[in-house]
């Protein structure tokens, strides 16, 4: 794997870990751990840039910008592949009160304060964990079958 891709995947991994912190956390402070890992990525970028500046006889500032841009492009590619389709096709909805909303997947009432997501296309609302599981298997709305919009469709 080339160095730029390696840095990008390390950054993607760190971002992913930070956003799932609740699931993996020990007693560590996530922001501190994240900072340490991002600093490591910074060092790696500088290393690549220094090497490139030497090889091509250019100044470090230019090659550093170049490397940064390349890493960001790779990072964007990685993130667009890993983004969950349920995020791309739904909006977060807050259940205000128990007004008889029933989740169309588990058929349970949705309680006030529960995390829910509404489909962008049809507006149907489900528990977030229910729609996340559903979308893994079928890319459409469980109630009306309209397609969930994903960023892989174009
Ligand atoms: Zn549900
Ligand atoms: Zn629907």
């Amino acid at each position: 794997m080339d160095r730029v891709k390696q840095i990008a995947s390390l950054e993607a991994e760190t971002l992913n870990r930070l956003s799932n912190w609740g699931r993996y956390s020990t007693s560590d402070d996530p922001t501190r751990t994240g900072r340490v890992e991002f600093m490591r990525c910074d060092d790696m970028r500088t290393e690549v840039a220094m090497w490139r500046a030497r090889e091509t006889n250019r100044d470090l500032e230019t090659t550093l910008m170049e490397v940064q841009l390349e890493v960001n492009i790779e990072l964007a590619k990685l993130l667009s592949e890993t983004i969950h389709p349920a995020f791309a096709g739904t909006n977060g909805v807050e259940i205000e009160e128990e007004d008889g909303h029933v989740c169309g997947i588990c058929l349970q009432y949705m309680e006030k304060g529960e995390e829910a997501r509404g489909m962008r296309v049809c507006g149907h609302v489900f528990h977030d964990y229910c729609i996340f599981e559903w979308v893994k298997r079928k890319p459409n709305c469980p109630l009306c079958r309209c397609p969930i919009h994903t960023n892989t469709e174009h």
Side-chain angles (χ1 to χ4, degrees):
M1 203 188 337
D2 83 49
R3 201 73 175 145
V4 166
K5 282 193 181 148
Q6 205 178 336
I7 300 168
S9 73
L10 189 63
E11 286 187 14
E13 218 175 90
T14 308
L15 286 171
N16 191 37
R17 197 130 28 96
L18 285 176
S19 66
N20 288 314
W21 198 258
R23 251 174 273 169
Y24 298 104
S25 71
T26 52
S27 55
D28 278 2
D29 168 10
T31 49
R32 197 184 47 213
T33 311
R35 219 163 24 233
V36 170
E37 305 216 337
F38 284 126
M39 266 158 57
R40 220 173 99 213
C41 295
D42 270 351
D43 287 348
M44 287 162 78
R45 278 200 295 253
T46 310
E47 233 171 75
V48 175
M50 273 161 65
W51 179 83
R52 218 182 260 187
R54 232 182 356 248
E55 287 294 296
T56 56
N57 232 339
R58 286 178 298 165
D59 62 300
L60 181 60
E61 214 176 314
T62 313
T63 52
L64 193 57
M65 269 163 57
E66 194 180 87
V67 171
Q68 218 132 10
L69 185 67
E70 286 169 21
V71 170
N72 286 344
I73 291 169
E74 289 303 324
L75 183 64
K77 275 191 218 158
L78 287 172
L79 293 180
S80 71
E81 278 164 24
T82 55
I83 190 165
H84 196 292
F87 271 124
T90 60
N91 294 314
V93 172
E94 218 171 297
I95 303 296
E96 290 293 343
E97 52 202 280
E98 292 156 54
D99 52 4
H101 262 313
V102 173
C103 169
I105 299 172
C106 66
L107 304 179
Q108 305 286 314
Y109 280 105
M110 297 203 259
E111 317 248 334
K112 185 180 170 178
E114 267 185 320
E115 305 266 346
R117 299 195 73 83
M119 308 286 282
R120 283 200 190 142
V121 177
C122 61
H124 283 129
V125 175
F126 310 96
H127 290 119
D128 69 340
Y129 46 85
C130 291
I131 193 67
F132 271 49
E133 284 305 306
W134 177 276
V135 166
K136 270 189 211 160
R137 275 167 256 134
K138 290 197 184 107
N140 55 23
C141 172
L143 288 185
C144 66
R145 310 278 154 189
C146 74
I148 187 166
H149 271 303
T150 71
N151 53 358
T152 53
E153 272 172 351
H154 46 78

